């Protein structure tokens, strides 16, 4: 299948793995009986034609039976926790009716979709207030991939994601459809949303009690909103579309028996070539699709997916029809546009830890544009993690586009990051060169995807200008407007308002 030799190690610096951090919370195997893995339902379109698809997405409160006993108060999209899976087809125009039935404002950010910003992209400038709605439409024009929807109201993105606002969104295209890849959703093609939580009294989550400016984590693995899940394998090959939906945690994935698997896709496209591996590290917001071949197992066998030594999902092997179809050695041709002559390398630094996080020495300001590019320009960006080793691995993310990874400290990128990406993990002290270009205009954020780091200010904004519409103005909001709305919605004074990200600004004595 894969031609490259087996990757039998995690990429990245072991010294920077999150378990070295003083505040690290190790995962613990849940002491509850195994539950069937929840498979998010597919969201049914309100209407669909060849050229258009219409969806209604409702952010709502609910309760979810996660542990025995009391249900947990959770938030979700069209369901009580996480969300129904949205399917987009390349070439379609999506028309989405976004509804907020939560008690506070939220935004609907399409992580990985190359769509205009800031309103369609759904970052912090596109709030939908409680009881209100917003309609957006955009052309889906990108390769097949797993993208996702999550809340992004600054500076409370992390808390809202912790409440459960995250859903898978699959982009399909004709090229991927022709490959011999499993794609029977829920049977041999599964979203696997990796998260972790801490359960407090009465099985409830308490974000504020768990707050850590370097990222909130909990000891209990939660996979697709299931605690201690199993999945019945009824086909020889299963495609796992892994999404790290955790606020902070890295997952170091491997299977029992050191079973090898084949990575076929990264964040925003198939990989050029399949990569055979038996270890892979996934940082926050990254996606990777792997094909697991259960051909050497028999009914009754159990294959376990682990992070470090903690089981995440148990695959219970049933009988299946043999399927030894081979993957082609080439899956995808990664776009590689020529760099626009005369454009210098643009440098971005990811600075600090705890409350001191910043980007290029500055904390994020919603109404400040930090950089500008023109549509169609192609530029190298050099992203440096200025932490001293051992430090933290920062997952650097850009809204509204896909980039390619050119080099890591001058060396060739990892085999499994040679497709299109929107999030790239950067070791402390390392600099990663990426190639950046945009297909759509707008104002977009770029930031660390340890969500508490972005709320705390390790974030900036780019304005992408359409040369045919140089004068287009964007109405940018500011932190204070959103914070005052949160205070009003919660019925507290500004002095009593608590939002995780505010702590980082306050401790540094900075205005928001
Ligand atoms: Cu970070």
């Amino acid at each position: 299948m894969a031609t490259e030799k087996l990757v039998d190690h995690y990429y990245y610096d072991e010294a920077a793995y999150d378990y070295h951090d003083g505040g690290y919370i190790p995962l613990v195997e849940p002491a509850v009986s195994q539950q069937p893995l929840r498979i998010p339902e597919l969201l049914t379109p309100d209407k669909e034609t060849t050229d258009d698809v219409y969806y209604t997405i409702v952010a709502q409160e609910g309760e979810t039976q996660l542990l025995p006993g009391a249900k947990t108060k959770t938030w979700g999209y069209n369901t009580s926790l996480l969300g129904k899976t949205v399917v987009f087809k390349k070439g379609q125009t999506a028309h989405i009716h976004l509804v907020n039935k939560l008690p506070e404002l939220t935004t609907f950010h399409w992580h990985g979709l190359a769509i205009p910003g800031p309103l369609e992209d759904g970052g912090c400038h596109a709030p939908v207030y409680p009881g209100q709605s917003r309609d957006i439409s955009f052309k889906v024009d990108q390769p097949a991939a797993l993208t996702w929807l999550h809340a992004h109201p600054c500076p409370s993105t992390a808390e809202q994601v912790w409440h459960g606002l995250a859903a898978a969104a699959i982009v399909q295209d004709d090229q991927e459809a022709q490959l011999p890849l499993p794609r029977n959703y829920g049977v041999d093609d599964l979203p696997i949303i990796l998260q972790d939580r801490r359960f407090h009294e009465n099985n409830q989550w308490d974000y504020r009690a768990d707050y850590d400016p370097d990222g909130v984590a909990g000891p209990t693995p939660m996979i697709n909103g299931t605690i201690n899940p199993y999945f019945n394998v009824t086909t020889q090959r299963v495609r796992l579309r892994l999404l790290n939906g955790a606020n902070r945690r890295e997952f170091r994935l491997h299977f029992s028996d050191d079973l090898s698997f084949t990575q076929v896709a990264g964040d925003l496209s198939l990989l050029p070539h399949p990569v055979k591996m038996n270890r892979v590290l996934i940082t926050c917001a990254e996606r990777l699709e792997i094909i697991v071949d259960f051909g050497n197992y028999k009914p009754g066998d159990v294959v376990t997916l682990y992070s470090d030594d903690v089981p995440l999902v148990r695959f219970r092997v049933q009988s299946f029809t043999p399927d030894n179809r081979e993957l082609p050695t080439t899956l995808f041709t990664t776009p590689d546009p020529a760099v626009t002559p005369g454009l210098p390398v643009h440098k971005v630094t990811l600075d600090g830890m705890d409350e001191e996080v910043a980007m290029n020495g500055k904390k994020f300001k919603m109404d400040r544009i930090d950089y500008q590019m023109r549509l169609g320009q192609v530029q190298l960006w050099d992203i440096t993690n200025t932490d001293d080793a051992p430090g933290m691995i920062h997952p650097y993310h850009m809204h509204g586009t896909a980039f390619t990874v050119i080099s890591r400290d001058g060396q060739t990128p990892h085999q499994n990051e040679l497709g299109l990406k929107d999030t790239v993990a950067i070791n402390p002290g390392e600099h990663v060169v990426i190639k950046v270009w945009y297909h759509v205009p707008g104002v977009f954020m770029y930031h660390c995807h340890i969500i508490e780091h972005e709320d705390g200010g390790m974030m900036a904004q780019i304005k992408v200008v359409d040369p045919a519409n140089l004068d287009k103005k964007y109405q940018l909001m500011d932190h204070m407007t959103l914070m005052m709305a949160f205070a009003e919605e919660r019925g507290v004074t500004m002095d009593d308002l608590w939002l995780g990200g505010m702590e980082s600004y306050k401790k540094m004595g900075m205005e928001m």
Side-chain angles (χ1 to χ4, degrees), residues 55-103:
Y55 285 115
T56 299
I57 293 180
V58 182
Q60 60 190 62
E61 296 180 281
E63 289 188 320
T64 308
Q65 191 81 55
L66 290 168
L67 294 174
K71 290 183 175 179
T72 306
K73 291 189 170 64
T74 53
W75 289 4
Y77 296 114
N78 303 77
T79 181
S80 70
L81 173 60
L82 301 179
K84 294 190 181 176
T85 299
V86 187
V87 174
F88 293 118
K89 298 187 178 101
K90 184 180 176 183
Q92 275 182 334
T93 297
H95 308 265
I96 310 187
H97 183 54
L98 304 165
V99 181
N100 182 3
K101 290 190 177 169
L102 299 170

Side-chain angles (χ1 to χ4, degrees), residues 61-374:
E61 296 180 281
E63 289 188 320
T64 308
Q65 191 81 55
L66 290 168
L67 294 174
K71 290 183 175 179
T72 306
K73 291 189 170 64
T74 53
W75 289 4
Y77 296 114
N78 303 77
T79 181
S80 70
L81 173 60
L82 301 179
K84 294 190 181 176
T85 299
V86 187
V87 174
F88 293 118
K89 298 187 178 101
K90 184 180 176 183
Q92 275 182 334
T93 297
H95 308 265
I96 310 187
H97 183 54
L98 304 165
V99 181
N100 182 3
K101 290 190 177 169
L102 299 170
E104 63 183 41
L105 73 92
T106 189
T107 80
F108 298 75
H109 168 52
W110 297 98
H111 182 125
L113 290 189
I115 57 177
L119 297 182
E120 294 87 343
D121 172 71
C124 56
H125 302 292
V128 182
Y129 295 97
Q132 297 192 10
S133 65
R134 179 188 290 278
D135 290 282
I136 57 170
S137 58
F138 52 81
K139 179 91 185 268
V140 178
D141 185 19
Q142 62 188 85
L146 174 64
T147 66
W148 58 305
L149 166 66
H150 69 78
H152 210 313
C154 304
S156 196
T157 297
E159 181 167 3
Q160 290 204 348
V161 174
W162 189 260
H163 277 310
L165 292 181
I170 295 171
V171 178
Q172 301 175 334
D173 73 6
D174 293 341
Q175 195 254 332
E176 185 274 341
Q178 285 166 15
L179 292 169
L181 293 168
R183 60 175 68 76
N184 187 359
Y185 183 84
V187 176
D188 62 9
D189 180 358
L190 316 177
I192 299 283
I193 303 174
L194 303 165
Q195 295 176 312
D196 58 314
R197 292 290 183 273
R198 181 184 293 282
F199 290 87
H200 292 264
E201 200 177 336
N202 213 24
N203 292 342
Q204 301 307 307
W205 296 336
D206 186 341
Y207 181 79
R208 186 169 179 176
D210 292 339
Y211 186 71
D212 178 335
D214 272 335
V216 172
T220 304
M222 182 172 82
I223 317 300
N224 291 357
T226 324
I227 308 302
N228 207 13
Y230 71 86
F231 179 78
N232 287 330
V233 172
T234 58
T235 59
Q236 180 176 329
R237 297 185 310 149
V238 176
R239 175 187 195 168
L240 304 180
R241 299 179 188 248
L242 297 150
L243 156 64
N244 184 339
N247 285 39
R248 157 73 181 97
R249 185 178 299 280
E250 299 148 13
F251 290 87
R252 283 167 288 275
L253 302 174
H254 61 101
F255 288 92
S256 45
D257 305 329
D258 266 347
L259 177 66
S260 62
F261 50 89
T262 305
Q263 186 176 341
V264 294
D267 297 335
L268 284 181
S269 76
L270 294 159
L271 296 178
H273 311 287
V275 179
K276 190 174 177 186
M277 43 184 32
N278 64 16
R279 292 279 184 284
V280 71
L281 184 151
I282 183 169
T283 58
C284 296
E286 280 190 300
R287 285 88 67 205
L288 51 92
E289 297 185 25
I290 62 174
I291 308 295
V292 187
D293 188 329
F294 295 93
N296 289 331
Y297 292 90
K298 59 183 190 308
D301 288 346
V302 176
V303 176
T304 304
L305 173 67
Y306 291 93
S307 182
D308 294 333
D309 56 355
V310 176
L312 301 180
V313 186
R314 287 184 175 82
F315 293 89
R316 299 181 180 176
V317 179
Q318 318 288 307
S319 59
F320 51 72
T321 313
D323 171 12
N324 291 304
R325 278 177 297 167
E326 300 244 322
L327 288 176
T329 53
T330 296
L331 300 173
F332 183 72
T333 304
T334 306
D336 189 26
V339 171
T340 306
L343 275 189
V345 175
H346 179 54
K347 296 203 183 236
V348 173
T349 63
L350 311 176
D351 309 316
M353 286 172 51
D354 295 306
E355 288 88 357
E356 295 173 14
V357 291
M359 191 177 269
N360 286 56
K362 289 184 277 197
K363 277 195 186 293
F364 178 60
K365 230 174 150 345
M366 280 175 61
D367 51 2
R368 183 186 70 217
I369 297 293
D370 298 281
Y371 195 63
Q372 189 161 311
M373 268 176 90
R374 286 191 175 203

